[in-house]
Amino acid sequence: MESPLVVASNRGPISFDVGEDGELIERRGSGGLVTALSDVFLRDDITWISSAMTDADVGVAQEGRELMVEPGLRARFVLIPEERYGAYYNRIANQILWFAHHCLWDIARSPRFDDDTKHDWRAFVDVNRAFAQTLDQEEDEPVFLVQDYHLCLVPEMLRDLRPDAKIVHFSHTPFAAPMYLRVLPVEMRTAIVRGMAGADIIGFQSRAWGENFLLSAQGLAGVHVDQRRGRVDLDGRRAFVRTFPVAVNAGSLRGTAARPDLKATAKEIASWRGDRSMLLRVDRLEPSKNILRGFLAFELFLSRYPAWQGRVKFLVLLSPSREDLDEYRTYGEECLAQAKRINGEFGDDTWEPIDVRVQEDYEYAVAAYSNYDALIVNPVYDGMNLVAMEGPLVNRRQGVLILSRNAGAYGRLGKHALPVNPFDLSETADAILQALEMPPDERARRARGLSRSVQAHTPATWLTDQLEAVDAVRPPMIGR
Amino acid sequence: MESPLVVASNRGPISFDVGEDGELIERRGSGGLVTALSDVFLRDDITWISSAMTDADVGVAQEGRELMVEPGLRARFVLIPEERYGAYYNRIANQILWFAHHCLWDIARSPRFDDDTKHDWRAFVDVNRAFAQTLDQEEDEPVFLVQDYHLCLVPEMLRDLRPDAKIVHFSHTPFAAPMYLRVLPVEMRTAIVRGMAGADIIGFQSRAWGENFLLSAQGLAGVHVDQRRGRVDLDGRRAFVRTFPVAVNAGSLRGTAARPDLKATAKEIASWRGDRSMLLRVDRLEPSKNILRGFLAFELFLSRYPAWQGRVKFLVLLSPSREDLDEYRTYGEECLAQAKRINGEFGDDTWEPIDVRVQEDYEYAVAAYSNYDALIVNPVYDGMNLVAMEGPLVNRRQGVLILSRNAGAYGRLGKHALPVNPFDLSETADAILQALEMPPDERARRARGLSRSVQAHTPATWLTDQLEAVDAVRPPMIGR
């Protein structure tokens, strides 16, 4: 546990701009993964390696420099030519791998792989290799913590460069079932599974995703899998599949919520709500989040239980996401059109049923958390889902959580939430009713259960569990 | 192996019409499943139970009659009110279960379950129960052979009525991966897995589908699964998962191909082909068959290898399928529009690259089989695929088979075929080139391999393997 840590992720916690006098100005990163990881990794003695995002980052990368961001945190950048970044990030990672792991294709029509895909894949391989080479420049014997599907090839590449390295790969997303991973060209799916299996520990948010990985590994030539022990043997190496559900930092989140400016925003939202009940959703505007069916279920709820018309407001906070991808833009437009239609059919001068705000504003979301009576988190599939954990920590109205059975968070929070099948409008509409009409004592009991379950796990545990898992399979005393 | 056999399937091998003098007139059924099964099951001493499809069938069913169709074949019908049949067959079986098992949903948008789904599901349960009750009227100790996803609840229902019954359920389709089966409402997916597990033997076309079933069973409360042995224990009963790939009857198929009328048709097709090469596809017009990407891959082939323009004709025989479902109609229109567009871009007065015929004409397809230089079978997912087996038996030009790795038939024929990832247009275009330009000795070797592999298995083996599997787990000597 004494080893220094080296984290690799596509985006880092920090970027730089060049100031007027040529000095570097820090810019804190945003986005779910970075926020979650920053809380965990910003401890003593850590080096964080990520893609150079700005001109200043590129400058730092070109000089091969390492920047001391704050005591104990060093940042280093991997230089990726812009054209290659588009292929690696937009096309392979976001348009193919994200869709594979979340089952998002309309299989009869998409995807269609062609020579462009091959070209993009080569860029993806190159970027992963550049990360592996940068990691290999680290001295001492660190533990390498490689994050997510963007860097799924890094563990094997790093292993080839540095056979004794201690490597953990962690997937923040689900992992596709074998039948769905087979959609990918053979070369890609083989490289992904072999790439991840280059780690000592292959971490997932929930057992189900790890099982999918093991099943796909089992199908590869020369690989031996022990499903029960979560063990993968190939090329004379051994990797272990383990589950490490991420956690949120309750103290820091509540600190944020308690800031005077957020309290003022929370008050504004409370007065917007008035004496009505408030249903809330907070999400990236993203097809896997199931925003469309969320609206349709709310519509079904209003038409099935008309006594609730005029008595509930649905606040929908959506942060823009990957707007340069057609699939995202189209999906976003469909969502907004449905909300508008529903408002047209049910609303009047005194009441707008759904209030959608497309904005990048984390603080506003935290302020909204304190105000909901019910929070709906109904993704079609989700690695974990942080909103489901953040909401109950901040909420002050003993709000009820409506939670998809297909979110990783369901394993931890399911018994205190109202479970829904995200594809079932009828079940979701009834869950909204049940949430809004729940007797106070049951609300209180469930809210307490949620809050305790979330706090039972901390980001520190998530990290130390991974480090202990590495130590267990590479005992330091063997003296490599 | 001495037990009489009782087969249950949604459609039977035979229907009746009422003639002018009130007599019953036989009408042989068509469709892939029925054709395949008729070859197998039309042996001594069999009772075939299916849905009443015509007014005459209904009459027979209402009288509770059993009809001797020919020596050894008795037919019996299950009476299903028309409204209920639509819910059971169109909406649950074809629009939901077929889509689940073939991964066909555009998950971000469909399916959307609601109260209509619940209502339809009740009809599905009722129809399955009606089948189970009809099966239970059989005397002696037959082996019950229950076919396909339409009747997936029958085994458990029959088991409840008749605890000692010998029951085999066989799936002609793939079986959804757990992550995809979870799309279904909990009640449905639980009932499906428990329903099938009511059989002694749960049969699939390939190991992969059986593994998916076992994984879903593992997730159910009170169920114990031994994945390696393919064993499912629940409610004090035990079921075994086994693989029985279906086979085609080579003798009867070649007999059909040798009929003078088919030979005449084959000649017509040969003269239509002329001295050009011929690429063939034969399919139901169905999203899982991947007709759309087949056209796009052919287009890529023509534009990438322009020397082939004017030198190859693509004959596409599509039998209409489920035209009353929107998803099918839309998909069919998209396919035809693409073919038309490609013909417009590449064709001229002397050459039409793609000739699409939408027709229900099995004999024409058999005649076409004899003429192809390459046969493309590229389904996104397919339980088995009979076309891939029929073509090589009849073809007389040492034609090459281009075969999707996701078809069950790939397990048996893969090493003699040119494998393709059905989503990869580039790989498919190159496979077309490789097929059309393959040297004669390699063509001959592969064609021989295909034909031998197909003939190594017979429909009789498929059936006796199932009966032996039942005998093995319910030894007759125990004297129940």
Side-chain angles (χ1 to χ4, degrees):
Chain A
M1 305 270 307
E2 304 302 316
S3 318
L5 302 185
V6 177
V7 178
S9 66
N10 175 56
R11 295 218 187 180
I14 214 122
S15 262
F16 292 93
D17 286 328
V18 179
E20 282 182 10
D21 301 325
E23 82 285 11
L24 292 177
I25 301 172
E26 278 185 37
R27 198 208 273 176
R28 290 272 157 182
S30 67
L33 179 59
V34 162
T35 310
L37 294 185
S38 298
D39 259 1
V40 181
F41 291 135
L42 298 186
R43 42 157 259 181
D44 280 346
D45 210 10
I46 186 165
T47 304
W48 197 316
I49 292 171
S50 58
S51 306
M53 306 297 288
T54 63
D55 289 346
D57 295 352
V58 169
V60 171
Q62 278 169 338
E63 294 166 27
R65 269 205 284 164
E66 181 177 276
L67 288 178
M68 185 66 75
V69 179
E70 52 189 65
L73 172 64
R74 285 175 303 277
R76 232 176 140 134
F77 297 108
V78 178
L79 191 62
I80 305 169
E82 195 170 325
E83 190 279 330
R84 192 177 292 172
Y85 189 82
Y88 145 78
Y89 181 72
N90 281 331
R91 296 201 289 281
I92 298 294
N94 286 346
Q95 230 167 347
I96 296 182
L97 301 185
W98 178 271
F99 275 62
H101 290 319
H102 292 85
C103 272
L104 287 176
W105 282 309
D106 179 9
I107 279 293
R109 297 171 181 85
S110 75
R112 297 171 189 169
F113 302 121
D114 55 19
D115 286 352
D116 290 344
T117 320
K118 277 189 199 167
H119 171 266
D120 295 341
W121 176 249
R122 279 193 293 272
F124 185 85
V125 172
D126 288 344
V127 170
N128 272 256
R129 185 166 297 115
F131 264 90
Q133 286 163 347
T134 308
L135 291 175
D136 187 41
Q137 291 162 18
E138 292 296 313
E139 294 174 358
D140 301 327
E141 266 204 35
V143 177
F144 293 100
L145 298 161
V146 181
Q147 306 302 310
D148 238 3
Y149 59 99
H150 312 86
L151 303 182
C152 56
L153 310 182
V154 167
E156 186 187 25
M157 292 168 166
L158 180 58
R159 175 73 62 210
D160 288 343
L161 294 169
R162 198 155 161 158
D164 287 340
K166 297 179 177 180
I167 309 173
V168 180
H169 185 277
F170 186 82
S171 293
H172 295 261
T173 61
F175 193 88
M179 195 168 163
Y180 213 78
L181 197 71
R182 288 180 68 84
V183 171
L184 300 180
V186 181
E187 182 194 358
M188 282 176 63
R189 68 178 151 91
T190 308
I192 290 166
V193 174
R194 294 185 61 95
M196 289 165 69
D200 298 293
I201 301 292
I202 311 166
F204 294 95
Q205 299 271 24
S206 89
R207 274 182 68 96
W209 316 143
E211 282 170 8
N212 282 344
F213 176 84
L214 287 166
L215 289 166
S216 276
Q218 207 158 25
L220 292 188
V223 178
H224 185 261
V225 169
D226 183 327
Q227 189 85 22
R228 206 170 52 78
R229 292 197 176 80
R231 213 166 62 190
V232 182
D233 291 328
L234 84 163
D235 299 345
R237 298 192 313 255
R238 176 164 286 181
F240 292 86
V241 167
R242 294 287 180 265
T243 305
F244 309 104
V246 294
V248 297
N249 185 328
S252 117
L253 177 63
R254 284 179 170 158
T256 304
R259 271 167 34 192
D261 55 330
L262 269 82
K263 291 198 123 171
T265 309
K267 231 175 195 165
E268 277 169 37
I269 296 172
S271 94
W272 167 89
R273 184 193 68 222
D275 56 2
R276 295 183 166 107
S277 292
M278 173 174 151
L279 177 65
L280 175 68
R281 94 172 291 142
V282 176
D283 271 311
R284 282 195 303 121
L285 183 36
E286 140 77 61
S288 74
K289 298 300 183 185
N290 207 19
I291 296 157
L292 198 57
R293 288 194 192 82
F295 288 145
L296 296 173
F298 185 64
E299 178 186 25
L300 185 59
F301 161 78
L302 291 178
S303 63
R304 192 183 274 179
Y305 309 108
W308 274 97
Q309 292 178 22
R311 289 177 48 217
V312 58
K313 285 177 129 178
F314 188 6
L315 179 61
V316 177
L317 305 179
L318 303 173
S319 51
S321 181
R322 305 177 190 169
E323 289 165 294
D324 38 353
L325 299 188
D326 279 349
E327 292 90 336
Y328 279 66
R329 253 197 329 272
T330 311
Y331 184 75
E333 286 161 11
E334 288 173 51
C335 290
L336 299 183
Q338 287 292 347
K340 198 173 165 189
R341 180 186 60 75
I342 295 166
N343 281 339
E345 284 181 28
F346 289 86
D348 56 32
D349 292 347
T350 63
W351 175 62
E352 186 184 51
I354 307 177
D355 189 341
V356 185
R357 317 223 183 134
V358 181
Q359 59 191 21
E360 185 68 61
D361 192 341
Y362 180 68
E363 275 85 0
Y364 194 91
V366 173
Y369 284 154
S370 62
N371 272 293
Y372 68 78
D373 298 286
L375 175 66
I376 180 165
V377 178
N378 67 329
V380 296
Y381 299 101
D382 207 331
M384 189 64 180
N385 198 291
L386 292 177
V387 170
M389 297 197 278
E390 290 175 347
L393 283 178
V394 174
N395 182 260
R396 303 174 68 90
R397 293 170 66 81
Q398 304 188 321
V400 179
L401 175 64
I402 298 168
L403 183 58
S404 165
R405 292 187 190 88
N406 294 350
Y410 187 79
R412 187 172 281 170
L413 306 179
K415 67 179 168 189
H416 308 295
L418 298 182
V420 291
N421 171 329
F423 309 98
D424 192 333
L425 304 184
S426 185
E427 188 182 24
T428 308
D430 283 349
I432 295 173
L433 180 78
Q434 201 190 334
L436 296 180
E437 296 192 348
M438 190 178 284
D441 54 337
E442 188 185 345
R443 297 179 72 85
R445 202 173 59 242
R446 286 180 182 262
R448 217 160 39 227
L450 286 169
S451 169
R452 281 187 192 151
S453 298
V454 173
Q455 290 178 80
H457 304 266
T458 67
T461 328
W462 179 69
L463 177 59
T464 50
D465 285 352
Q466 293 179 55
L467 300 179
E468 279 172 12
V470 178
D471 272 353
V473 303
R474 291 196 168 251
M477 61 272 261
I478 282 184
R480 279 183 321 277
Chain B
M1 306 267 308
E2 305 300 315
S3 318
L5 302 184
V6 178
V7 178
S9 67
N10 176 55
R11 295 218 187 180
I14 214 121
S15 261
F16 292 92
D17 286 329
V18 180
E20 281 183 9
D21 301 326
E23 83 284 12
L24 292 178
I25 300 172
E26 278 185 36
R27 200 208 270 179
R28 291 271 157 182
S30 69
L33 179 59
V34 161
T35 310
L37 294 185
S38 298
D39 259 0
V40 180
F41 290 135
L42 297 187
R43 42 155 261 180
D44 282 344
D45 210 10
I46 187 166
T47 304
W48 196 316
I49 292 170
S50 58
S51 305
M53 304 298 288
T54 63
D55 287 347
D57 296 352
V58 169
V60 172
Q62 278 170 338
E63 293 166 26
R65 270 205 283 163
E66 181 177 277
L67 287 178
M68 183 67 73
V69 178
E70 53 189 66
L73 173 63
R74 287 175 301 278
R76 235 178 138 134
F77 297 108
V78 178
L79 191 63
I80 305 167
E82 196 170 325
E83 190 279 329
R84 193 177 292 172
Y85 189 82
Y88 145 78
Y89 181 73
N90 282 330
R91 295 199 290 281
I92 298 295
N94 287 345
Q95 230 167 349
I96 296 181
L97 302 185
W98 178 271
F99 275 62
H101 291 319
H102 291 85
C103 271
L104 288 175
W105 282 309
D106 178 11
I107 279 292
R109 296 170 181 85
S110 75
R112 296 171 190 170
F113 302 121
D114 55 19
D115 286 353
D116 291 344
T117 320
K118 277 188 200 168
H119 172 266
D120 295 340
W121 175 250
R122 279 193 293 272
F124 185 85
V125 173
D126 288 345
V127 170
N128 272 257
R129 185 168 295 114
F131 263 90
Q133 286 164 347
T134 308
L135 291 175
D136 187 40
Q137 290 163 17
E138 292 296 313
E139 294 175 358
D140 302 326
E141 267 204 36
V143 177
F144 294 99
L145 298 161
V146 181
Q147 305 302 311
D148 236 3
Y149 60 98
H150 312 86
L151 303 181
C152 56
L153 310 182
V154 167
E156 186 186 26
M157 291 168 167
L158 181 58
R159 176 73 62 210
D160 287 344
L161 294 169
R162 199 156 161 158
D164 288 339
K166 296 178 178 180
I167 310 174
V168 179
H169 184 277
F170 187 82
S171 293
H172 295 260
T173 61
F175 193 88
M179 196 168 164
Y180 213 79
L181 197 71
R182 289 180 68 85
V183 171
L184 301 180
V186 182
E187 181 193 0
M188 283 176 61
R189 68 178 152 92
T190 308
I192 290 166
V193 175
R194 295 186 60 96
M196 290 166 68
D200 298 294
I201 301 291
I202 310 166
F204 294 95
Q205 300 270 25
S206 90
R207 275 182 68 95
W209 317 143
E211 283 170 7
N212 282 344
F213 177 85
L214 288 166
L215 289 166
S216 275
Q218 207 159 24
L220 293 188
V223 178
H224 184 262
V225 169
D226 184 328
Q227 189 84 22
R228 208 170 51 78
R229 293 196 176 80
R231 213 166 61 190
V232 182
D233 291 327
L234 82 165
D235 299 346
R237 298 192 313 257
R238 174 165 286 183
F240 292 86
V241 168
R242 293 287 180 264
T243 305
F244 310 103
V246 293
V248 297
N249 186 328
S252 116
L253 177 63
R254 285 180 169 158
T256 304
R259 271 168 34 191
D261 55 331
L262 270 83
K263 290 197 124 173
T265 308
K267 232 175 194 167
E268 277 169 35
I269 296 172
S271 92
W272 168 88
R273 184 194 67 221
D275 55 2
R276 293 184 167 108
S277 292
M278 173 173 152
L279 177 65
L280 175 69
R281 95 173 290 143
V282 175
D283 270 311
R284 284 197 301 121
L285 183 36
E286 141 76 63
S288 74
K289 299 299 183 184
N290 208 19
I291 297 155
L292 197 57
R293 287 194 193 83
F295 289 144
L296 296 173
F298 184 64
E299 178 186 24
L300 186 58
F301 161 77
L302 291 177
S303 63
R304 192 182 276 179
Y305 309 108
W308 275 98
Q309 291 178 23
R311 290 176 49 216
V312 57
K313 285 177 127 178
F314 188 5
L315 179 61
V316 177
L317 305 180
L318 302 173
S319 52
S321 182
R322 304 176 190 169
E323 290 166 294
D324 39 352
L325 299 189
D326 280 348
E327 292 90 335
Y328 279 66
R329 251 197 330 272
T330 310
Y331 183 75
E333 285 161 10
E334 287 172 50
C335 290
L336 299 183
Q338 288 291 348
K340 197 173 166 190
R341 180 186 60 74
I342 295 165
N343 281 338
E345 285 181 26
F346 289 86
D348 57 31
D349 291 349
T350 63
W351 175 60
E352 188 185 49
I354 308 177
D355 188 342
V356 186
R357 318 225 182 132
V358 181
Q359 59 190 21
E360 183 69 62
D361 192 341
Y362 180 69
E363 275 85 0
Y364 195 89
V366 173
Y369 284 153
S370 61
N371 273 292
Y372 67 78
D373 298 287
L375 175 66
I376 180 166
V377 178
N378 67 329
V380 296
Y381 299 101
D382 207 330
M384 188 65 181
N385 198 291
L386 292 177
V387 171
M389 296 199 277
E390 290 175 347
L393 283 179
V394 174
N395 183 259
R396 302 173 70 90
R397 294 170 66 83
Q398 305 188 321
V400 179
L401 175 64
I402 298 168
L403 183 59
S404 165
R405 293 188 190 87
N406 294 350
Y410 187 78
R412 187 172 282 170
L413 305 179
K415 68 178 166 190
H416 308 295
L418 297 183
V420 290
N421 171 329
F423 309 98
D424 192 333
L425 303 184
S426 186
E427 188 183 24
T428 308
D430 284 348
I432 295 173
L433 180 77
Q434 201 190 334
L436 296 181
E437 297 192 348
M438 188 177 285
D441 54 335
E442 188 184 346
R443 297 178 73 84
R445 201 172 59 242
R446 285 180 184 264
R448 217 160 39 228
L450 287 170
S451 169
R452 281 189 193 149
S453 299
V454 173
Q455 291 178 80
H457 304 266
T458 67
T461 329
W462 179 69
L463 177 59
T464 51
D465 285 353
Q466 293 179 55
L467 300 179
E468 279 172 12
V470 178
D471 272 353
V473 303
R474 290 197 170 252
M477 61 272 260
I478 282 184
R480 282 180 327 273

